[in-house]
Amino acid sequence: MSVHSRRENINLADMIDITEAGRAMHVFATELYPICRSITGNGIRSTLGRIGEQIPLILHEVPSGTAVFDWTVPNEWNIRDAYVANANGERVIDIRRHNLHILSYSTPIHARMPLAELKQHLFTLPDQPDLIPYRTSYYQENWGFCLTHNQLMGLTDGEYEIVIDSTLAPGSLTYAECFLPGATEDEVLISCHACHPSLANDNLSGIVLATWLAQLLGQSERRYSYRFVFIPGTIGSITWLARNEAHVGRIKHGLVLTCLGDPGHTTYKRSRQSTAEIDRVVEHVLRHTGTAYAIKDFFPYGYDERQYCSPGFNLPVGCLMRTPHGRFAEYHTSADNLDLVRPEALADSLAKLIAIVQVLEQNRTYRNLNPMCEPQLGKRGLYGAIGGQIDAKSYQLALLWVLNYSDGEHALIDIAERSGMPFATIAHAATALQSAGLLTEDVQSIEWSAR
Amino acid sequence: MSVHSRRENINLADMIDITEAGRAMHVFATELYPICRSITGNGIRSTLGRIGEQIPLILHEVPSGTAVFDWTVPNEWNIRDAYVANANGERVIDIRRHNLHILSYSTPIHARMPLAELKQHLFTLPDQPDLIPYRTSYYQENWGFCLTHNQLMGLTDGEYEIVIDSTLAPGSLTYAECFLPGATEDEVLISCHACHPSLANDNLSGIVLATWLAQLLGQSERRYSYRFVFIPGTIGSITWLARNEAHVGRIKHGLVLTCLGDPGHTTYKRSRQSTAEIDRVVEHVLRHTGTAYAIKDFFPYGYDERQYCSPGFNLPVGCLMRTPHGRFAEYHTSADNLDLVRPEALADSLAKLIAIVQVLEQNRTYRNLNPMCEPQLGKRGLYGAIGGQIDAKSYQLALLWVLNYSDGEHALIDIAERSGMPFATIAHAATALQSAGLLTEDVQSIEWSAR
Amino acid sequence: MSVHSRRENINLADMIDITEAGRAMHVFATELYPICRSITGNGIRSTLGRIGEQIPLILHEVPSGTAVFDWTVPNEWNIRDAYVANANGERVIDIRRHNLHILSYSTPIHARMPLAELKQHLFTLPDQPDLIPYRTSYYQENWGFCLTHNQLMGLTDGEYEIVIDSTLAPGSLTYAECFLPGATEDEVLISCHACHPSLANDNLSGIVLATWLAQLLGQSERRYSYRFVFIPGTIGSITWLARNEAHVGRIKHGLVLTCLGDPGHTTYKRSRQSTAEIDRVVEHVLRHTGTAYAIKDFFPYGYDERQYCSPGFNLPVGCLMRTPHGRFAEYHTSADNLDLVRPEALADSLAKLIAIVQVLEQNRTYRNLNPMCEPQLGKRGLYGAIGGQIDAKSYQLALLWVLNYSDGEHALIDIAERSGMPFATIAHAATALQSAGLLTEDVQSIEWSAR
């Protein structure tokens, strides 16, 4: 009870200067941007190391060759240098100028070849001739370079020297977890991929948001336990699920965070369950922000939600984004950079994420202890003038809504949705009614997925 | 069977001259208007007495202090005189000019005080400066006067004499019931509040409608038993529910009647169950009136439906109105008078109420006794020319609709809704098919609330 | 498995030249047009004989007087000649000029009477004065002639000779079945009425479509057994149901075919179950044709679906049409002729019918054998370049949709609907996944009607 009362008084949004946080997240993204990440290797390892300076993080190393469901943890890839030099020895393509120049997971090579032969290993975007594409070849051995189409057009015939100083050999896959225990063992999973090299929106925005949320939650009371996972995309979530299969039942709600720094409006992709509590909570929060947003039904491609929501797991994990992958022109190109990602967009995404967590923390199902007719609110001081920032008339209606629908079948989020009121007003009313002895928390949990 | 056949021939609307009824209801409202009603006392008592001259009514007196759920029946309030006189002894505020001048439940006082002190007990509407507001203080002892804002502005400084000749003392709360037994013990509850002083739409319109409906039903065959309750708002329905808790299971359908005399279109507020038979019936009737109407989902404030629909009761009771409370400018002011309430609006409300009751009376679930292929209607004289006012082609389609959907899972109202036809056509067809031995009433009642 | 694999490779649409089929169906309709059909007699008998030259057909003769549910098989009617001659012996109304001139089931007569008396037996369409109406009197003995209103206006007073050389006597009702056994005993029922005389859209279009579909299916592998019934309307389907009552459980899907040759867009009337597999399949196919179409909920009048969907049977049988009966001006008049029915409309209807059957044949429920995370498609050659006409990117998404939703609760049609993809793409993906050992057919059948 005392924990509960204390927690009710915590307003996460009050604990943080959102504008300042937006700026700080952008600074951290700027720090991480130059690291050449991939799904394994020192790039992701050092990235996780930097995150670990911000929040308590445990790194896990999973040996190459480990079977994880239908997949196998691949060899570890590390890259030291990569370039193409012309006859004059000038580096015409150079990883030191941009990490995207190297096809990720390129095998080592040192050779000379004419342009015609080299071209079979060069990737460009003819429709966006000034941008370098992002390409990978994780599961098929290959080597290559990515460059702008204009750069390719400028290459003269002749012989070139190719140097890729990489290693692709048994090692390990690295991922990290930040676990914040709460009052219950029920968990909220926050997942983001950390395997993309110099891409800011599609990678770094999710990482910095998760980091800042973890920092904030680390300082507050928590009803739920929170598990933040920083993983390489696809193989990382598959590996994590394979190693945690026995415990996924604890995950009550989850979000994949990605593409949260661009100037577009917020997009939420529902979990496969489609009406899980997380789905309803995010939709409620977005509806009450007063700004444009989009809701998408689950589809089985995208980010790691496709693994969390595979039919054998079917976890209540949605995906929070701004502009979805593939819908912004800069996606998977060198233009997905620190200019695309704005501090104010990061701040706005963080504010929404905090609001979502706030609702999850406070959403409960209560039972009206005086269900026969209305209780007399006046004699309990619940009717009439009340202080605070919440409008008095709304608050009194909220008391009636909570009393009428607290029949064990409606959680506070349901009552908020039905009344059209913001969750905070409904939760405030519930707290007051509980203090007045008119409401008790219903121990029966609601079967959300059955709705 | 014979009762049934007779009842089917009764068309309630044919038993009454609706235009004339509108005029008569307005006359009765005019009679009741000057009475100074409150939630207890001689005002409501004499109002119920007058109603009892129109329909068989049993008055109930519940002693002050009686516990009714979370509430206590309050002391009885009676008022004989109330005025504010100026230094010249002129009554500048005088209950004899308008009942609304007295704050309802004002405690007795005889005092002199300067205007400044008096003002703390004066209530006006600055935004509607020509109207007297309606104010009460049932559960907090106080005294006061209501007046127009212009009147307040005209009061000169100086000393005033205050006289409130009231009593607030143990007595009783009065309510009344008109019970009309029907062929079954299943009841239709019609509830209206009778506690407002000179307010015409918000009080008297419901009272006169209920009275006229009771008169009409008293003269006709009834499948259902009808229970009309005339009660003070809130405390009255709470008291009634407390005293009838054991029997509320008999209430199969119910309506709260209020604000039914203004020129606005009809509004129906659904029961908390939202798809109860009464909800579907009222919506069907309104849809087929050919005039504008509005349907509102249940919300836990308004009139006595908030008690009938409290979660512990959750009765199938909706609320029939024209313009909802708070949505017309005259609400709870001296402008809610006999000009706002029009005979033709009362007549229109009565016509709709009668149509609703007619559907409730006739709505049944039948079973097709020839469910394998269509029966041959021609050989039974059911196909071809038929007399009467109902269009022959519609009627023949209605026969097919009733036959096809009388599978024990669809009541006539469902078939009417599904076919898009008026209920009367469907009911007419069902009667003909039953007479032809093709249909039998299904004894299994439909679980409406489970839908 | 081998049957399955072979069947998957069959594309019914590839087996036929649709344009040519449209022309050929029109030729066959032209052949059948002059026959004077009724619900019994030599007209329908010889019509079925001609159909039997195209497809394997078994004729059934049901004796007059046979009880079929609430009905009795009527006497057999045959007509040899029918005319009205004027005083000069000129045939002013002559069945030899148009079959519609005779009121179907007219009793024999040879008499003379003045025009005034004759007029009581003449039927015209005053609003369409150039068209001959179609009228019948099956269950009430009568005689009569139908003619254009202009023709009637031109008849001079005087005596006329009436000759109807018909017989109405015990005989039999004739219907026919074409049964094509499939891999399972589960049946698809295709029903059309064959009792209308010279009416092309409302009768012949359904007959020729059913004939061509039967021809096509006769040449292909079949998962389902197909039963085509050619029957007189109403009494025919009632008779068929009465004689096959014990076996209707085999009917898993069904369509009534009618009015499929006019230039209007396709209309589908849902089965009474409304969400049966046939309903969902037809709607899916029509949605993906890219042309206008209409879906109507079931209503208990129309064609023989009213018998198949009577509540005692409630079979999953919808009705496929272009312009519904009564909605085109030519309906049941001499203008419903071979000009109204166009080869290209017949071809389009056949193409849609074939697409519907193709989906029924391929719609299955599968179970993902690797439901924990996604399987690695790349190592199985399922990811990357693929040949064929289906767009590679769509195909890869289809693989993911099928994997994610093959949880035993979604059939391929559900997955197609949910993904928004055409069924063929989804089915193609399912076949590939099954071949790769990632999918197995779910033996549990889905309860469609329970949805």
Side-chain angles (χ1 to χ4, degrees):
Chain A
M1 258 311 287
S2 62
V3 168
H4 173 78
S5 303
R6 267 180 290 142
R7 188 170 52 245
E8 293 297 339
N9 293 329
I10 290 173
N11 187 323
L12 289 168
D14 291 346
M15 294 172 57
I16 190 166
D17 176 336
I18 280 286
T19 307
E20 179 49 35
R23 274 193 290 264
M25 285 188 282
H26 197 268
V27 167
F28 189 47
T30 305
E31 240 183 80
L32 299 178
Y33 185 76
I35 302 173
C36 188
R37 280 168 289 276
S38 187
I39 54 172
T40 60
N42 293 326
I44 185 168
R45 205 172 275 122
S46 76
T47 299
L48 298 175
R50 300 278 186 96
I51 298 168
E53 296 165 9
Q54 307 281 341
I55 54 175
L57 211 59
I58 294 178
L59 267 65
H60 297 263
E61 299 282 350
V62 185
S64 300
T66 304
V68 285
F69 296 121
D70 192 49
W71 301 62
T72 304
V73 172
N75 281 341
E76 181 176 329
W77 183 70
N78 283 293
I79 181 92
R80 281 162 297 276
D81 197 7
Y83 62 88
V84 173
N86 63 16
N88 303 330
E90 296 163 347
R91 291 186 169 205
V92 294
I93 309 174
D94 186 354
I95 196 177
R96 294 179 308 196
R97 281 204 287 272
H98 206 297
N99 284 323
L100 293 185
H101 279 313
I102 187 71
L103 174 77
S104 195
Y105 259 63
S106 279
T107 46
I109 184 171
H110 189 171
R112 288 177 177 279
M113 60 186 69
L115 180 59
E117 191 182 338
L118 171 60
K119 273 188 174 170
Q120 293 170 36
H121 293 269
L122 299 184
F123 303 92
T124 70
L125 294 167
D127 292 342
Q128 295 173 295
D130 289 321
L131 306 185
I132 310 167
Y134 166 51
R135 291 283 183 278
T136 68
S137 189
Y138 300 140
Y139 300 103
Q140 192 170 353
E141 293 208 353
N142 198 0
W143 63 266
F145 289 88
C146 302
L147 66 164
T148 74
H149 200 65
N150 285 336
Q151 207 177 351
L152 175 65
M153 293 296 100
L155 292 184
T156 53
D157 281 344
E159 207 173 55
Y160 288 87
E161 181 190 12
I162 318 300
V163 173
I164 298 181
D165 179 11
S166 67
T167 48
L168 181 56
S172 61
L173 175 151
T174 315
Y175 71 84
E177 289 193 34
C178 167
F179 181 70
L180 304 174
T184 77
E185 291 200 339
D186 291 344
E187 290 184 15
V188 178
L189 175 73
I190 306 288
S191 174
C192 61
H193 62 290
C195 56
H196 286 28
S198 302
L199 293 167
N201 197 35
D202 179 7
N203 198 21
L204 295 179
S205 70
I207 291 171
V208 299
L209 257 300
T211 303
W212 257 247
L213 181 65
Q215 272 181 344
L216 180 66
L217 284 170
Q219 299 158 25
S220 90
E221 296 270 356
R222 291 175 301 275
R223 169 187 175 195
Y224 286 110
S225 299
Y226 287 79
R227 190 175 299 275
F228 292 78
V229 301
F230 298 85
I231 48 177
T234 303
I235 187 66
S237 49
I238 293 170
T239 299
W240 187 87
L241 284 163
R243 289 162 60 98
N244 293 279
E245 191 178 349
H247 308 301
V248 293
R250 288 183 195 152
I251 299 172
K252 301 305 177 193
H253 322 287
L255 285 176
V256 168
L257 303 183
T258 185
C259 297
L260 283 160
D262 67 271
H265 59 61
T266 300
T267 301
Y268 178 65
K269 173 184 171 179
R270 292 188 179 120
S271 78
R272 185 178 185 273
Q273 296 180 17
S274 88
T275 54
E277 188 173 345
I278 185 67
D279 300 317
R280 291 167 50 87
V281 166
V282 176
E283 290 181 46
H284 177 83
V285 166
L286 295 181
R287 191 177 303 120
H288 283 270
T289 56
T291 56
Y293 67 93
I295 303 289
K296 292 184 178 296
D297 255 326
F298 178 75
F299 46 84
Y301 42 94
Y303 292 95
D304 290 306
E305 70 278 6
R306 55 202 272 187
Q307 309 309 331
Y308 301 125
C309 297
S310 57
F313 288 109
N314 199 21
L315 297 175
V317 176
C319 180
L320 193 70
M321 309 167 263
R322 296 183 81 87
T323 307
H325 71 100
R327 298 298 177 93
F328 52 99
E330 301 86 351
Y331 174 69
H332 275 195
T333 74
S334 51
D336 180 359
N337 59 27
L338 295 161
D339 290 328
L340 175 66
V341 167
R342 304 305 313 149
E344 53 277 13
L346 292 171
D348 180 71
S349 294
L350 181 61
K352 285 167 178 162
L353 196 49
I354 289 171
I356 291 163
V357 167
Q358 182 86 29
V359 176
L360 287 177
E361 285 284 305
Q362 296 190 322
N363 189 34
R364 278 172 174 72
T365 302
Y366 292 95
R367 195 171 280 280
N368 180 341
L369 293 170
N370 188 89
M372 312 298 267
C373 297
E374 292 170 7
Q376 196 176 354
L377 298 176
K379 71 182 183 191
R380 293 179 176 84
L382 290 169
Y383 224 70
I386 59 128
Q389 75 284 21
I390 296 174
D391 171 74
K393 167 104 184 177
S394 282
Y395 175 70
Q396 293 189 11
L397 295 183
L399 294 169
L400 297 175
W401 277 108
V402 173
L403 283 168
N404 195 293
Y405 285 96
S406 287
D407 54 1
E409 293 184 16
H410 298 84
L412 294 186
I413 183 72
D414 296 310
I415 301 174
E417 289 286 280
R418 180 142 190 166
S419 68
M421 290 185 178
F423 180 87
T425 308
I426 293 294
H428 184 138
T431 302
L433 290 166
Q434 191 178 21
S435 298
L438 289 170
L439 220 56
T440 188
E441 194 176 341
D442 201 327
V443 287
Q444 296 278 20
S445 69
I446 293 186
E447 270 306 318
W448 285 91
S449 60
R451 295 196 173 183
Chain B
M1 263 307 290
S2 61
V3 168
H4 174 78
S5 302
R6 266 181 289 141
R7 188 169 54 244
E8 292 298 340
N9 294 328
I10 290 172
N11 186 324
L12 289 168
D14 292 346
M15 292 171 60
I16 191 167
D17 176 335
I18 280 286
T19 308
E20 179 47 36
R23 275 193 289 265
M25 286 187 283
H26 196 268
V27 167
F28 189 47
T30 305
E31 239 182 80
L32 300 178
Y33 184 76
I35 303 172
C36 188
R37 280 168 290 274
S38 186
I39 54 170
T40 60
N42 293 326
I44 185 169
R45 204 171 275 120
S46 76
T47 299
L48 299 176
R50 300 279 187 96
I51 298 168
E53 295 165 10
Q54 306 282 340
I55 54 173
L57 212 59
I58 294 175
L59 267 65
H60 297 264
E61 299 283 351
V62 185
S64 299
T66 304
V68 286
F69 295 121
D70 192 50
W71 300 62
T72 305
V73 172
N75 280 340
E76 181 175 328
W77 182 69
N78 283 293
I79 182 89
R80 280 163 299 278
D81 199 6
Y83 62 88
V84 173
N86 63 15
N88 303 331
E90 297 164 346
R91 294 187 167 203
V92 295
I93 308 175
D94 186 354
I95 196 179
R96 295 180 309 196
R97 283 205 286 274
H98 206 300
N99 285 323
L100 294 185
H101 279 313
I102 185 70
L103 174 77
S104 196
Y105 259 64
S106 279
T107 45
I109 185 172
H110 189 172
R112 286 177 180 279
M113 60 184 72
L115 180 59
E117 191 182 338
L118 172 60
K119 273 187 174 171
Q120 294 170 33
H121 294 268
L122 299 183
F123 302 92
T124 70
L125 294 167
D127 292 343
Q128 296 174 296
D130 289 321
L131 305 185
I132 311 166
Y134 166 52
R135 290 285 183 278
T136 69
S137 191
Y138 302 140
Y139 301 103
Q140 191 169 353
E141 293 209 355
N142 198 359
W143 64 266
F145 289 88
C146 302
L147 65 164
T148 74
H149 200 65
N150 285 336
Q151 207 179 350
L152 174 65
M153 295 295 100
L155 292 184
T156 53
D157 280 343
E159 206 171 58
Y160 287 86
E161 180 189 14
I162 317 300
V163 174
I164 297 181
D165 179 11
S166 68
T167 49
L168 181 56
S172 61
L173 175 151
T174 316
Y175 71 84
E177 288 192 35
C178 167
F179 181 70
L180 304 174
T184 77
E185 290 199 340
D186 290 344
E187 289 184 16
V188 178
L189 175 72
I190 305 289
S191 173
C192 60
H193 61 290
C195 56
H196 285 28
S198 301
L199 292 168
N201 197 34
D202 179 8
N203 197 21
L204 295 179
S205 71
I207 291 171
V208 300
L209 256 300
T211 305
W212 256 247
L213 181 65
Q215 272 181 345
L216 179 67
L217 284 170
Q219 298 158 27
S220 90
E221 297 269 356
R222 292 175 300 275
R223 169 187 175 196
Y224 286 110
S225 298
Y226 286 80
R227 189 174 301 274
F228 292 79
V229 301
F230 298 85
I231 48 177
T234 303
I235 186 65
S237 49
I238 292 170
T239 300
W240 187 87
L241 283 164
R243 291 162 58 98
N244 293 279
E245 192 178 348
H247 307 301
V248 293
R250 288 181 195 153
I251 298 172
K252 301 305 176 194
H253 322 286
L255 285 176
V256 168
L257 302 183
T258 185
C259 297
L260 283 161
D262 67 271
H265 59 61
T266 301
T267 300
Y268 177 66
K269 173 184 171 179
R270 291 189 180 118
S271 78
R272 186 178 185 274
Q273 296 180 17
S274 89
T275 54
E277 187 173 344
I278 185 68
D279 299 318
R280 292 168 48 87
V281 166
V282 176
E283 290 182 46
H284 177 83
V285 166
L286 295 182
R287 190 177 303 121
H288 283 270
T289 57
T291 56
Y293 66 94
I295 302 290
K296 292 183 178 297
D297 254 327
F298 178 76
F299 46 85
Y301 42 93
Y303 291 94
D304 291 306
E305 70 277 7
R306 55 203 269 187
Q307 310 308 331
Y308 301 125
C309 297
S310 57
F313 288 110
N314 199 21
L315 296 175
V317 176
C319 180
L320 194 70
M321 308 168 261
R322 298 183 78 89
T323 307
H325 71 101
R327 298 296 176 93
F328 53 100
E330 300 87 351
Y331 174 70
H332 275 196
T333 75
S334 52
D336 180 359
N337 59 26
L338 295 161
D339 291 329
L340 175 66
V341 167
R342 304 307 311 150
E344 53 278 13
L346 293 171
D348 180 69
S349 295
L350 182 60
K352 285 167 178 161
L353 196 49
I354 289 172
I356 291 162
V357 167
Q358 182 87 30
V359 176
L360 287 177
E361 285 283 307
Q362 295 191 321
N363 189 33
R364 279 172 172 72
T365 302
Y366 292 97
R367 195 170 278 282
N368 180 343
L369 293 170
N370 188 89
M372 313 297 267
C373 298
E374 293 170 5
Q376 195 176 356
L377 297 176
K379 71 183 182 190
R380 293 177 175 87
L382 289 169
Y383 224 71
I386 59 128
Q389 74 284 17
I390 297 175
D391 172 72
K393 168 102 183 179
S394 283
Y395 175 70
Q396 293 189 12
L397 295 183
L399 294 170
L400 297 176
W401 278 106
V402 172
L403 284 169
N404 195 293
Y405 285 96
S406 287
D407 54 2
E409 293 183 16
H410 298 84
L412 293 186
I413 183 72
D414 296 309
I415 301 175
E417 288 287 280
R418 180 142 191 167
S419 68
M421 290 185 179
F423 181 86
T425 307
I426 293 295
H428 184 139
T431 303
L433 289 166
Q434 191 178 21
S435 299
L438 289 170
L439 221 57
T440 188
E441 196 175 340
D442 201 327
V443 289
Q444 296 277 20
S445 70
I446 294 185
E447 269 307 317
W448 285 91
S449 59
R451 296 195 175 186
Chain C
M1 260 308 289
S2 61
V3 168
H4 174 76
S5 301
R6 266 181 290 142
R7 187 168 54 246
E8 293 296 340
N9 293 328
I10 290 172
N11 186 323
L12 288 168
D14 292 346
M15 294 172 59
I16 191 168
D17 176 336
I18 279 287
T19 307
E20 179 48 37
R23 273 193 291 265
M25 286 188 283
H26 197 269
V27 167
F28 189 46
T30 304
E31 239 182 81
L32 300 178
Y33 185 76
I35 302 174
C36 188
R37 280 167 291 274
S38 187
I39 54 172
T40 60
N42 293 326
I44 185 168
R45 205 171 276 121
S46 74
T47 299
L48 299 176
R50 299 278 187 96
I51 299 168
E53 295 166 9
Q54 307 281 339
I55 53 174
L57 212 60
I58 294 176
L59 267 65
H60 297 263
E61 299 282 351
V62 185
S64 300
T66 304
V68 285
F69 295 123
D70 192 49
W71 302 61
T72 304
V73 172
N75 281 340
E76 180 176 330
W77 183 69
N78 282 294
I79 182 89
R80 280 162 298 276
D81 197 8
Y83 62 88
V84 173
N86 64 14
N88 302 331
E90 297 164 347
R91 291 185 168 205
V92 293
I93 310 174
D94 185 353
I95 196 178
R96 295 179 309 195
R97 282 204 286 274
H98 206 298
N99 284 323
L100 293 184
H101 279 312
I102 188 71
L103 174 76
S104 196
Y105 259 64
S106 279
T107 46
I109 186 172
H110 188 171
R112 288 176 178 280
M113 61 185 69
L115 180 59
E117 191 182 337
L118 171 60
K119 274 187 173 171
Q120 294 170 34
H121 293 269
L122 299 184
F123 302 92
T124 71
L125 294 168
D127 291 343
Q128 296 173 295
D130 289 321
L131 305 186
I132 310 167
Y134 167 51
R135 291 284 182 279
T136 68
S137 191
Y138 301 140
Y139 300 103
Q140 192 171 353
E141 293 209 354
N142 197 359
W143 63 267
F145 289 88
C146 301
L147 65 165
T148 74
H149 200 64
N150 285 335
Q151 206 178 353
L152 175 65
M153 293 295 100
L155 292 184
T156 54
D157 280 344
E159 206 171 60
Y160 287 86
E161 182 190 10
I162 319 300
V163 172
I164 298 182
D165 179 10
S166 68
T167 48
L168 181 55
S172 61
L173 176 151
T174 315
Y175 72 84
E177 288 192 35
C178 167
F179 181 70
L180 304 175
T184 77
E185 290 199 340
D186 291 345
E187 289 184 15
V188 178
L189 176 72
I190 305 288
S191 174
C192 61
H193 61 290
C195 56
H196 285 28
S198 302
L199 293 168
N201 197 34
D202 178 7
N203 198 21
L204 295 179
S205 71
I207 291 171
V208 300
L209 256 302
T211 304
W212 256 247
L213 182 65
Q215 271 180 345
L216 180 66
L217 285 169
Q219 298 158 25
S220 88
E221 296 270 356
R222 292 175 299 275
R223 168 187 177 196
Y224 286 111
S225 298
Y226 287 80
R227 191 175 299 275
F228 292 79
V229 301
F230 298 85
I231 48 177
T234 304
I235 187 65
S237 50
I238 293 170
T239 300
W240 187 86
L241 284 163
R243 290 162 60 99
N244 292 279
E245 192 177 350
H247 308 301
V248 293
R250 289 181 195 153
I251 299 173
K252 300 306 177 192
H253 322 287
L255 285 176
V256 167
L257 302 183
T258 185
C259 297
L260 282 161
D262 67 271
H265 60 59
T266 300
T267 300
Y268 178 66
K269 173 183 172 179
R270 290 187 181 120
S271 78
R272 185 178 185 272
Q273 297 180 16
S274 88
T275 54
E277 188 174 344
I278 185 69
D279 300 319
R280 292 167 49 87
V281 166
V282 176
E283 291 181 46
H284 176 83
V285 165
L286 295 182
R287 191 177 302 120
H288 283 272
T289 56
T291 56
Y293 67 94
I295 303 290
K296 292 183 177 298
D297 255 326
F298 179 76
F299 46 85
Y301 42 93
Y303 291 94
D304 290 305
E305 69 278 6
R306 55 201 272 187
Q307 310 308 330
Y308 300 124
C309 298
S310 57
F313 287 109
N314 200 22
L315 297 175
V317 176
C319 180
L320 193 70
M321 307 169 264
R322 297 183 81 89
T323 307
H325 71 99
R327 296 299 175 93
F328 53 99
E330 301 86 349
Y331 174 70
H332 274 194
T333 74
S334 50
D336 181 357
N337 59 27
L338 296 161
D339 290 330
L340 176 65
V341 168
R342 304 306 311 149
E344 53 278 12
L346 292 171
D348 181 70
S349 294
L350 181 59
K352 286 167 177 162
L353 196 49
I354 288 172
I356 291 163
V357 167
Q358 182 87 29
V359 176
L360 287 177
E361 286 283 306
Q362 295 190 322
N363 189 34
R364 280 171 172 71
T365 302
Y366 292 96
R367 196 170 279 279
N368 180 341
L369 293 171
N370 188 89
M372 313 299 266
C373 298
E374 293 170 6
Q376 195 176 355
L377 298 176
K379 71 183 182 191
R380 293 180 176 85
L382 289 169
Y383 225 70
I386 59 129
Q389 75 284 21
I390 297 174
D391 171 74
K393 168 105 183 176
S394 284
Y395 175 71
Q396 292 188 12
L397 295 183
L399 294 170
L400 297 175
W401 278 106
V402 172
L403 283 168
N404 195 293
Y405 285 96
S406 287
D407 54 2
E409 292 184 17
H410 297 84
L412 294 186
I413 183 73
D414 296 310
I415 301 174
E417 288 287 280
R418 182 141 188 166
S419 67
M421 289 186 178
F423 181 86
T425 308
I426 293 295
H428 185 139
T431 303
L433 290 166
Q434 191 178 21
S435 298
L438 289 170
L439 221 56
T440 188
E441 194 176 341
D442 202 327
V443 288
Q444 295 278 21
S445 69
I446 294 185
E447 271 305 319
W448 286 91
S449 59
R451 296 200 172 180

